[in-house]
Amino acid sequence: MSAEVKPTRANKPFVFNAENEAKFQKLLTRYPDTAALNLPGLWLIQQQDGWISYEAMEYLAERINIPVTQVYEVATFYTMYNLQPVGKYHFQVCRTLSCELRGGEEILAHLTKKLGIKPGETSKDGRYTLTKVECLGSCGSGPMFQLNDDYHEWLTVEKVDEILAKLP
Amino acid sequence: MAVQEVKVLSAKYGIKDSRTLAVARAHGGYSQIEKAFSMEPAQIVEMVKASGLRGRGGAGFPTGMKWSFLPKGLDKPTYLCINSDESEPATFKDRQIIENDPHMLIEGIIITCWAINSHDAYIYIRGEFVRQAEMLNTAIDEAYAAGLLGEKACGKDFRVDITVHRGAGAYVCGEETALIESIEGKKGQPRSKPPFPAVVGLFQCPTIINNVQTIASVPYIIEHGAEGYRKFGTEKSAGTFLFGISGHVNKPGVYETELGVSMKGFIEDLAGGVWKNRKLKAVIPGGSSTPIMTPKEVETCMLDYESIVEHGSMLGSGGIVVLDETVCMVKSLKNLLYFYHHESCGQCTPCREGTGWIYKIVSNIEAGKGKMSDLDLLLELADNMEGKTVCVLSGAAAMPTRSYIQKFRHEFEEHIKLGKCPFAG
Ligand SMILES: Cc1cc2nc3c(=O)[nH]c(=O)nc-3n(C[C@H](O)[C@H](O)[C@H](O)COP(=O)(O)O)c2cc1C
Ligand code: SF4
Ligand code: FES
């Protein structure tokens, strides 16, 4: 599963903002056991901060009444939780078969060159993160990548350049 | 005769704003609830049994029969989980339902809840589908506002609540017991069975887990009855199926047909045939784990559960991949094995070690550093990875390995003899 990671401290406490607190309260009514809010809770944290610090995990553990180790176990098991800050633009390029057959490797090579970072890296200015990921369920419209929350499909080198040029 | 689309589940695709409640209703959405509520739950289970509907998530287990395994008269709630994890490489059909007709899924969920006496449904959706999760939540909110969900679902004295639960990037969570663990707030590691989820499932209660497409098929069955559904397909493979086709075809995408049509016809008539006028080299018929097929096998194979098994593979999740003559088989196997190694949850040794080992051997062969004895070693490892683990992910890695070597052995041998990949130029 996910790579070796160490708990990262933000050196400041975490609390849900009002919007996420409301979402959290609504979720509490939907499960018979507060532990079930482990994954949704981590999502709320990531939505709020962009990543999940150790302090945030401690906070969640207390809110849903489970040991912090269980939060940590889950946070490290699933690949989508960012346990360190990521760039403003996070490119997740699919490397799996259907995309590879349609030129996925070329897209990854092009992005690597354009962004000046390798998969797994974040640019020094904190603008870009590049990740290689497994099948994202867009196999019929590959090659593709996910840029933050959105999918970009039917990619070509030209299309990638257009997307890059439009980023604010 | 040319293979044609049959629009049962995809009937509303392409209609403007088909995702909204108003448009869904204008085109028959929620029209089967009243009929379903007028039936005894057991009658619905019988009807779904008689329809021959089989699970569309991969294993093809008869849906009505699964529902009838729920213990009776227990003093515990029953849960319904909709499997929308959709992570099997080459599979991208369920998102079409969510993007085009989420209300059909919700209608199916309400009817299923009534049939199995459940009040709480969880839709487990893969985390990357951020937009699709939003679409589902929008549709669910609309349904609540219209009184279709909640304390009195559709005006009946029967509560139905639906909650969308997002995964976070683990393929194994599509396995039903890993999915349960994941909703409960744990790592997605499969549980050993028995007990089966129908008896001890989510929160230790009886639980039914069904694929999105399976549940979306339920309203049609209520409307047209078992016989109406059986109009499509074959005796043992009833109904229609949303097949996803990707790779080297001119028109990749999702096409709904009845089961039992010709595989070759499907590829040619609906997906536009092999691209760039190239020759067909191989087909993976039902998602990345299903054994690969040769053009000769494709020639006579039908798209239904039995025919694909007779041709040495499986219908699986209906994710078809077409490989043209330029594909290096060793490289494409390497790609898939990397996936399975990456996604192993790590609790069983044959899977944790085996997926890494076979990936490494195949990588070496691809790089021209293989030995002839590696091929038999791979087959032996594949045998040892199957049937000895908590879930079938380990076997899912073994099946392509074995079939690639059996059917394309000469390419592996060529890599070894040449000391390099003959396709790399
Ligand atoms: C590793 C693994 C991954 C799976 N992924 C999915 C999936 O993404 N979607 C799905 O519906 N079923 C998936 N399944 C099958 C489910 O475990 C289960 O059989 C299915 O959801 C039952 O629904 P059905 O009877 O309607 O097909 C997977 C199974 C395994 C072993
Ligand atoms: S077979 Fe693999 S994925 Fe399945 S439970 Fe065992 S280690 Fe986990
Ligand atoms: S293989 Fe790339 S999205 Fe499925």
Side-chain angles (χ1 to χ4, degrees):
Chain A
M1 295 297 323
S2 55
E4 286 288 315
V5 268
K6 297 230 156 48
T8 318
R9 292 199 167 268
N11 295 319
K12 60 175 171 79
F14 179 92
V15 269
F16 282 138
N17 59 26
E19 187 192 340
N20 286 330
E21 181 62 34
K23 287 185 187 168
F24 179 79
Q25 291 298 335
K26 186 175 168 198
L27 283 169
L28 276 175
T29 66
R30 290 308 186 90
Y31 300 89
D33 179 359
T34 53
L37 268 76
N38 202 353
L39 274 81
L42 286 168
W43 276 123
L44 291 178
I45 293 168
Q46 187 153 310
Q47 234 161 25
Q48 186 168 321
D49 273 7
W51 69 290
I52 300 162
S53 68
Y54 196 68
E55 289 89 341
M57 289 190 234
E58 288 176 318
Y59 171 79
L60 181 63
E62 201 167 307
R63 293 294 310 265
I64 63 177
N65 204 14
I66 60 174
V68 67
T69 48
Q70 193 181 332
V71 179
Y72 183 58
E73 209 173 57
V74 160
T76 50
F77 181 82
Y78 296 91
T79 53
M80 288 178 69
Y81 294 123
N82 304 325
L83 302 185
Q84 275 164 24
V86 291
K88 183 173 175 203
Y89 299 110
H90 188 185
F91 291 86
Q92 305 192 62
V93 189
C94 172
R95 60 147 296 279
T96 314
L97 186 61
S98 299
C99 283
E100 179 178 282
L101 293 174
R102 304 286 294 209
E105 286 171 304
E106 195 192 346
I107 299 301
L108 182 67
H110 186 68
L111 259 182
T112 308
K113 198 172 81 199
K114 287 293 253 209
L115 302 180
I117 46 173
K118 291 206 224 28
E121 293 178 352
T122 297
S123 63
K124 284 210 183 68
D125 59 3
R127 195 170 153 83
Y128 304 115
T129 297
L130 181 62
T131 317
K132 249 199 302 191
V133 295
E134 300 303 326
C135 178
L136 290 180
S138 277
C139 326
S141 40
M144 61 82 63
F145 58 58
Q146 181 171 7
L147 172 52
N148 296 347
D149 287 346
D150 288 296
Y151 280 21
H152 295 266
E153 304 172 295
W154 306 109
L155 292 174
T156 57
V157 164
E158 296 73 39
K159 216 167 150 183
V160 172
D161 286 339
E162 269 169 46
I163 294 165
L164 288 175
K166 277 199 204 119
L167 290 181
Chain B
M1 209 181 71
V3 172
Q4 278 168 354
E5 285 187 88
V6 177
K7 303 202 169 204
V8 168
L9 299 169
S10 55
K12 299 192 203 76
Y13 291 17
I15 296 173
K16 190 170 179 300
D17 299 326
S18 61
R19 212 153 60 212
T20 61
L21 179 59
V23 174
R25 273 192 146 152
H27 290 85
Y30 298 101
S31 61
Q32 298 313 309
I33 298 279
E34 206 182 298
K35 182 171 174 191
F37 277 148
S38 75
M39 293 167 71
E40 289 297 320
Q43 275 180 298
I44 300 179
V45 176
E46 282 313 310
M47 189 188 257
V48 171
K49 254 191 204 169
S51 75
L53 176 65
R54 295 169 64 164
R56 304 307 195 212
F61 194 82
T63 306
M65 201 194 296
K66 186 188 273 186
W67 296 356
S68 68
F69 289 158
L70 285 169
K72 305 260 163 359
L74 273 192
D75 197 17
K76 278 179 172 183
T78 298
Y79 292 105
L80 174 64
C81 296
I82 306 300
N83 195 338
S84 186
D85 195 51
E86 183 125 285
S87 305
E88 174 82 359
T91 309
F92 49 99
K93 60 182 180 65
D94 294 334
R95 66 180 272 206
Q96 298 269 330
I97 295 173
I98 294 164
E99 288 170 9
N100 293 288
D101 201 355
H103 286 288
M104 182 174 55
L105 176 62
I106 298 173
E107 184 176 6
I109 292 173
I110 297 170
I111 296 171
T112 305
C113 280
W114 173 244
I116 66 171
N117 191 27
S118 171
H119 298 283
D120 294 282
Y122 295 95
I123 303 178
Y124 189 94
I125 186 166
R126 62 175 305 165
E128 294 91 341
F129 282 172
V130 179
R131 299 304 176 210
Q132 288 82 352
E134 287 168 0
M135 289 170 196
L136 274 175
N137 275 318
T138 303
I140 290 168
D141 288 347
E142 277 185 305
Y144 270 106
L148 299 165
L149 293 173
E151 276 307 320
K152 291 195 186 323
C154 306
K156 177 99 175 166
D157 204 5
F158 186 78
R159 177 178 71 83
V160 179
D161 282 311
I162 305 181
T163 304
V164 175
H165 192 97
R166 287 175 63 202
Y171 162 70
V172 72
C173 289
E175 196 279 338
E176 52 188 16
T177 57
L179 185 149
I180 289 173
E181 293 277 306
S182 187
I183 297 180
E184 289 181 355
K186 303 180 203 140
K187 294 195 280 187
Q189 290 194 315
R191 300 175 180 170
S192 38
K193 294 186 273 193
F196 288 94
V199 183
V200 185
L202 188 62
F203 308 118
Q204 302 297 309
C205 296
T207 302
I208 291 296
I209 297 142
N210 273 129
N211 171 262
V212 169
Q213 192 188 158
T214 311
I215 295 303
S217 304
V218 170
Y220 189 92
I221 294 170
I222 298 295
E223 183 172 3
H224 299 273
E227 282 316 306
Y229 190 70
R230 282 192 168 279
K231 234 180 33 228
F232 304 110
T234 68
E235 174 64 26
K236 288 190 179 135
S237 303
T240 65
F241 204 112
L242 289 167
F243 289 102
I245 182 162
S246 60
H248 294 156
V249 288
N250 285 312
K251 291 189 295 171
V254 177
Y255 302 95
E256 183 176 14
T257 65
E258 61 178 325
L259 286 163
V261 300
S262 127
M263 183 182 282
K264 187 162 180 258
F266 183 92
I267 295 169
E268 283 172 3
D269 304 335
L270 295 181
V274 183
W275 70 346
K276 300 182 179 175
N277 280 322
R278 289 190 188 150
K279 282 221 298 272
L280 180 68
K281 185 170 204 172
V283 171
I284 298 171
S288 65
S289 64
T290 56
I292 196 157
M293 296 170 71
T294 62
K296 190 156 170 275
E297 288 166 325
V298 172
E299 201 68 41
T300 50
C301 189
M302 301 296 157
L303 285 176
D304 59 54
Y305 292 98
E306 299 76 49
S307 182
I308 301 189
V309 168
E310 279 161 24
H311 287 78
S313 191
M314 286 168 349
L315 182 77
S317 57
I320 303 170
V321 192
V322 172
L323 288 75
D324 78 20
E325 55 188 329
T326 65
V327 176
C328 169
M329 298 311 278
V330 182
K331 186 172 175 225
S332 66
L333 177 62
K334 175 180 139 182
N335 183 298
L336 292 179
L337 294 182
Y338 182 85
F339 172 83
Y340 287 101
H341 175 46
H342 186 267
E343 299 300 327
S344 167
C345 85
Q347 67 175 329
C348 323
T349 311
C351 176
R352 185 185 59 242
E353 304 294 325
T355 51
W357 199 354
I358 55 177
Y359 167 70
K360 216 166 152 196
I361 297 174
V362 172
S363 290
N364 272 336
I365 297 176
E366 201 252 345
K369 291 182 285 195
K371 300 189 291 289
M372 280 301 169
S373 58
D374 286 345
L375 299 182
D376 288 334
L377 178 59
L378 280 170
L379 293 174
E380 193 187 316
L381 288 170
D383 284 342
N384 283 314
M385 286 168 64
E386 257 178 331
K388 299 178 178 67
T389 50
V390 172
C391 88
V392 300
L393 188 144
S394 185
M399 286 192 295
T401 307
R402 192 180 301 113
S403 60
Y404 265 77
I405 295 178
Q406 280 166 352
K407 294 175 185 176
F408 297 93
R409 191 174 181 117
H410 54 280
E411 276 197 27
F412 288 79
E413 291 177 350
E414 204 182 343
H415 277 75
I416 296 167
K417 279 187 210 142
L418 280 176
K420 66 177 178 111
C421 173
F423 290 85

